Amino acid sequence: MNRKNLSIVLNIVAIAGFILLATVVAIRYSHFIVNIVSNPQKFKNWVLSFGHLGVLVFILIQILQVIISAIPGEAVQISGGYLYGTLLGTVYSLIGIMIGSVCVFYITRLLGYSLVRKIVSEEKLKKFYLLINSPKGEIALFLLFLIPGLPKDILTYIAGLSPIKPLRFFAIVAIARLPGIFFSSYIGSSIEEKNYTIAIIVSALAFILFVLGVVYKDNIIKTIHNFIHKKGSSNL
């Protein structure tokens, strides 16, 4: 077997291994994680049962949420705020999201298009890749990560296919996702402190923004596409 064929075989084995591992984790643990993070008090009791390792467990859950999109990110972040307060909840969630993003980004860089094609539909892959792999792709990425209701986790997989420099990508992810993480943590903290009025108001606003993002997703993406393809504009 020549070097080229060996490389192809190893790539196929690596992709199959990653998909198999992700599938096993999703089947075995995602249902449990989804159920437990949906109940902040139950999640708090579970995390605290690990003692000093509780913070690491929470960060690990947030990492898995980035890798396995079936786990709802907002629920994890709200539970983080409920457990650790607004500030630390935001910090721990951001750490987990950044580690997860680094993992996904470099796994995609290593395994390439064949992996992403197994995770993301051809339609979404083509739509988002055209936005990201453009002269103003970094602006597009920032807006896509910032606006609620858009599929942020698959963007990390797709971004790994683009020529964007890793450190610039990670900076974009951190800055763009920080507001959403903060407000989710704030909601969780308000619930824990029994500030239900504030929690309801902020949750309602967040829900409205999320629904608008989902409902008008195609229009938002089209607007971003038209914006980044205007002539004479510079990149970030």
Side-chain angles (χ1 to χ4, degrees):
M1 182 181 294
N2 59 41
R3 185 172 296 179
K4 182 177 180 181
N5 289 336
L6 179 61
S7 176
I8 293 173
V9 171
L10 290 176
N11 193 50
I12 292 173
V13 171
I15 291 171
F18 175 79
I19 293 174
L20 178 61
L21 178 61
T23 301
V24 169
V25 172
I27 292 174
R28 186 163 184 178
Y29 298 108
S30 63
H31 182 69
F32 168 76
I33 294 173
V34 169
N35 283 340
I36 200 167
V37 299
S38 298
N39 185 327
Q41 183 59 51
K42 187 176 180 180
F43 181 70
K44 180 178 181 178
N45 294 337
W46 179 72
V47 171
L48 292 179
S49 71
F50 291 92
H52 296 301
L53 296 177
V55 172
L56 296 180
V57 171
F58 173 77
I59 292 174
L60 177 60
I61 295 297
Q62 188 65 84
I63 293 171
L64 288 175
Q65 184 276 317
V66 176
I67 298 173
I68 303 172
S69 58
I71 302 171
E74 289 78 8
V76 176
Q77 293 151 30
I78 289 172
S79 293
Y82 186 93
L83 180 54
Y84 297 110
T86 302
L87 180 58
L88 288 180
T90 299
V91 171
Y92 295 150
S93 286
L94 184 60
I95 290 172
I97 286 173
M98 293 311 301
I99 294 174
S101 298
V102 169
C103 293
V104 168
F105 185 85
Y106 280 113
I107 288 171
T108 303
R109 281 281 167 98
L110 178 65
L111 301 181
Y113 175 83
S114 299
L115 170 65
V116 180
R117 183 62 188 85
K118 296 290 189 298
I119 298 172
V120 183
S121 70
E122 186 69 33
E123 180 185 359
K124 288 182 178 179
L125 178 55
K126 182 178 180 181
K127 182 187 299 182
F128 288 115
Y129 184 75
L130 289 174
L131 285 174
I132 296 171
N133 193 33
S134 66
K136 292 190 289 183
E138 293 175 4
I139 295 176
L141 265 175
F142 177 82
L143 294 173
L144 290 169
F145 276 114
L146 178 67
I147 298 171
L150 300 183
K152 295 173 176 52
D153 295 325
I154 68 169
L155 288 174
T156 306
Y157 282 95
I158 298 172
L161 299 175
S162 74
I164 187 172
K165 294 180 180 179
L167 290 181
R168 291 182 70 86
F169 172 72
F170 301 140
I172 289 169
V173 172
I175 296 170
R177 299 202 66 171
L178 183 58
I181 297 170
F182 174 83
F183 283 111
S184 292
S185 298
Y186 182 71
I187 291 170
S189 179
S190 297
I191 294 173
E192 199 280 332
E193 294 173 358
K194 296 181 172 54
N195 294 327
Y196 297 123
T197 302
I198 294 176
I200 291 172
I201 292 173
V202 177
S203 297
L205 290 174
F207 179 75
I208 291 171
L209 290 174
F210 179 83
V211 170
L212 288 175
V214 172
V215 172
Y216 295 102
K217 176 179 63 179
D218 291 336
N219 290 334
I220 291 170
I221 293 172
K222 184 178 180 180
T223 300
I224 294 174
H225 182 276
N226 292 336
F227 171 74
I228 68 171
H229 284 90
K230 284 182 180 180
K231 295 181 179 181
S233 297
S234 59
N235 208 342
L236 280 177

